[in-house]
Amino acid sequence: MRFHADLHVHSKHARACSKDSDLAHLTWWARRKGITLMGTGDFTHPVWFAELRENLVPAEPGLFRLRDDLDRDICRTLPPRLASGEVRFMLSVEVSTVYARGGRTRKIHHLLYAPDFDVAEELNRRLAQAGDLTEDGRPTLRMDARDLLETTLDSGDGAYLVPAHVWTPWFGVLGSKAGFDTIEECYGDLSDRLFALETGLSSDPAMNWKVSGLDRYRMVSYSDAHSPPMLGRETTVFDTDLDYFAVLRALRTGEGHAGSVEFFPEEGKYHVDGHRKCGVRMEPRETREHGGICPVCRRRLTIGVLSRVEELADRPDGARPDGAAGFHSAVPLPEIVGEILGVGPKSKKVVAEVDRLTAALGPELTILEDLPPDEIAAHSPPLAEAVARLRRCEVIREPGYDGVFGTIRLFRRGEPGPVSKGSPPTLF
């Protein structure tokens, strides 16, 4: 069975996340997007953990589904083409470890997974000794990353850890601010118990393939959604049984790991270097020429993912390890429709048009990946042209920097969809 998985999400109990991030809304949006397997997010939070126990019921091995009565209520609000999709949940959480190592403060984010509530409960019990789990759905733990990995593995069979958005400057294991130069340096003698890395929005597998030390890891991509409409902006594709342990085997062995759907990495908010306050954005070469200093305020630039990858790379662009799963890049459907209509992706006009398109054509990922352009054109000729260009990777890229999302456009001036609004950053 081939399906999309989004295993990095957050609940309403995580800081700076939507109050709509509950199981009902997550299920509704998963169907709308075409996602079969979802992470629950935030299972360390005691209130959310209780909600998960109350509202999820066992499905396939290690997976859960929404209670029948709740699911029926959701299906009644969806068009028939969307209501038929099945949605399963896997117990997941993102945690932050903060500790000192090598004379530096390390702030590293990790994704943890558990196959059942008993294992998750045991993991919560152990983690509560290192931080306040009630404070945030994404808890901060005073423990070394290596010790977190050991704690996860010791909590029960099937529990595993994936380093989160590994290149992000502030919280990635390989990030420029608090990270390490190798995975082994961070996780020490237990690093051989890791088998997957999350690329994050600002990098894609091709960038990671330039670092030979990462060859043995499966590259996974998830949305890190802070609100339900952001689900599926990145997904990992599996061709396995719908089963926690089948997914785990695919990540360990590569068999059944079918690749990923990625943001264009330029759209991620830490792709290139820059200084948001000064509106300065730089490519790695320009950063080196300026000695890593902002030419406006003379403070240090935030060094983004592209520079950090180049720093650690030992291969040229285009290198690909044997057996590495493929990927393709996409733009979320509301962004495409917003460009066509000349309004923001969250505007009422865009919401209404995406509602119309998904009711007629099916889930968003199906529209972007699978439908013939002629079938899309019967409902929206500009969208058909946009999707055709997207599949050919014919896009216009303005890279993100220092916490500012980048922009990916599919039309030039004079074509459907105006140039994005707002002042561009200063280029050097």
Side-chain angles (χ1 to χ4, degrees):
M1 176 181 179
R2 191 177 181 91
F3 58 90
H4 288 275
D6 188 351
L7 303 180
H8 183 179
V9 305
H10 290 286
S11 76
K12 60 186 178 182
H13 299 286
R15 189 172 291 128
C17 291
S18 169
K19 296 305 179 185
D20 286 339
S21 295
D22 54 34
L23 285 171
H25 283 89
L26 291 172
T27 301
W28 192 97
W29 280 96
R31 283 197 170 97
R32 160 78 164 261
K33 299 283 185 174
I35 301 164
T36 299
L37 180 58
M38 291 281 304
T40 61
D42 303 351
F43 73 62
T44 52
H45 194 279
V47 177
W48 185 238
F49 189 76
E51 291 181 38
L52 296 176
R53 272 195 181 278
E54 179 183 356
N55 295 312
L56 294 179
V57 296
E60 297 80 10
L63 303 182
F64 301 85
R65 59 178 176 81
L66 201 58
R67 273 179 16 211
D68 286 341
D69 57 325
L70 299 176
D71 198 46
R72 282 193 297 269
D73 290 343
I74 291 167
C75 288
R76 279 195 286 264
T77 69
L78 286 164
R81 296 196 68 153
L82 302 180
S84 60
E86 59 185 353
V87 177
R88 297 293 186 262
F89 285 94
M90 177 187 293
L91 297 174
S92 71
V93 64
E94 180 185 17
V95 304
S96 175
T97 53
V98 180
Y99 61 101
R101 177 105 75 81
R104 297 171 59 187
T105 298
R106 312 288 184 166
K107 300 179 179 180
I108 311 296
H109 285 191
H110 321 257
L111 299 171
L112 312 181
Y113 301 93
D116 58 52
F117 283 106
D118 289 342
V119 172
E121 188 169 38
E122 174 61 18
L123 183 52
N124 288 347
R125 185 189 68 78
R126 294 170 181 241
L127 297 182
Q129 301 173 38
D132 184 358
L133 303 187
T134 68
E135 188 176 42
D136 187 4
R138 185 198 305 101
T140 298
L141 307 173
R142 298 288 175 178
M143 66 189 307
D144 191 287
R146 182 261 176 214
D147 296 337
L148 174 67
L149 175 56
E150 181 177 46
T151 298
T152 302
L153 297 173
D154 288 348
S155 295
D157 290 342
Y160 69 98
L161 180 152
V162 174
H165 42 67
V166 294
W167 295 100
T168 301
W170 303 99
F171 300 109
V173 62
L174 300 175
S176 63
K177 294 292 185 182
F180 298 85
D181 288 346
T182 67
I183 303 297
E184 291 74 16
E185 186 183 357
C186 178
Y187 294 97
D189 60 310
L190 294 179
S191 59
D192 62 347
R193 304 293 296 276
L194 298 172
F195 39 79
L197 305 175
E198 186 188 39
T199 62
L201 301 182
S202 294
S203 86
D204 61 18
M207 294 170 65
N208 288 266
W209 294 339
K210 295 173 64 174
V211 182
S212 63
L214 305 183
D215 284 359
R216 75 178 192 84
Y217 301 100
R218 246 59 64 192
M219 295 297 155
V220 298
S221 297
Y222 306 123
S223 69
D224 193 2
H226 289 204
S227 67
M230 294 297 103
L231 293 177
R233 56 186 177 177
E234 292 199 330
T235 69
T236 298
V237 181
F238 292 97
D239 193 357
T240 68
D241 292 338
L242 188 57
D243 172 329
Y244 180 100
F245 300 98
V247 168
L248 180 54
R249 282 193 299 272
L251 293 177
R252 282 178 169 157
T253 68
E255 187 174 347
H257 173 236
S260 56
V261 178
E262 304 273 340
F263 246 33
F264 283 91
E266 292 86 354
E267 192 169 3
K269 59 184 179 179
Y270 291 106
H271 184 67
V272 294
D273 313 323
H275 194 190
R276 174 175 44 187
K277 290 183 178 179
C278 297
V280 170
R281 177 180 69 190
M282 289 187 178
E283 296 287 333
R285 174 187 56 78
E286 298 166 313
T287 300
R288 291 192 294 270
E289 290 173 355
H290 285 82
I293 301 299
C294 174
V296 176
C297 70
R298 309 306 302 169
R299 295 183 179 179
R300 293 203 65 81
L301 298 165
T302 297
I303 303 303
V305 169
L306 186 60
S307 280
R308 183 64 172 154
V309 170
E310 288 192 3
E311 180 183 349
L312 298 183
D314 55 0
R315 288 178 177 146
D317 289 339
R320 180 172 179 174
D322 292 341
F327 72 97
H328 67 269
S329 299
V331 177
L333 183 59
E335 293 184 18
I336 300 174
V337 172
E339 184 180 357
I340 291 169
L341 298 179
V343 295
K346 297 180 182 179
S347 69
K348 291 182 179 179
K349 288 176 67 176
V350 168
V351 171
E353 178 66 358
V354 173
D355 283 346
R356 183 183 73 84
L357 291 166
T358 53
L361 297 170
E364 292 183 27
L365 286 166
T366 299
I367 295 171
L368 296 176
E369 292 189 299
D370 302 325
L371 290 184
D374 288 348
E375 188 172 341
I376 300 172
H379 298 271
S380 173
L383 178 61
E385 176 60 25
V387 169
R389 293 183 186 189
L390 178 62
R391 293 175 185 175
R392 297 193 299 265
C393 251
E394 295 175 2
V395 300
I396 302 159
R397 314 176 194 214
E398 295 177 5
Y401 67 103
D402 195 20
V404 178
F405 278 106
T407 302
I408 304 296
R409 292 186 290 110
L410 291 146
F411 298 103
R412 300 185 180 278
R413 294 182 187 274
E415 295 183 308
V419 175
S420 56
K421 299 179 177 63
S423 299
T426 305
L427 300 181
F428 290 86

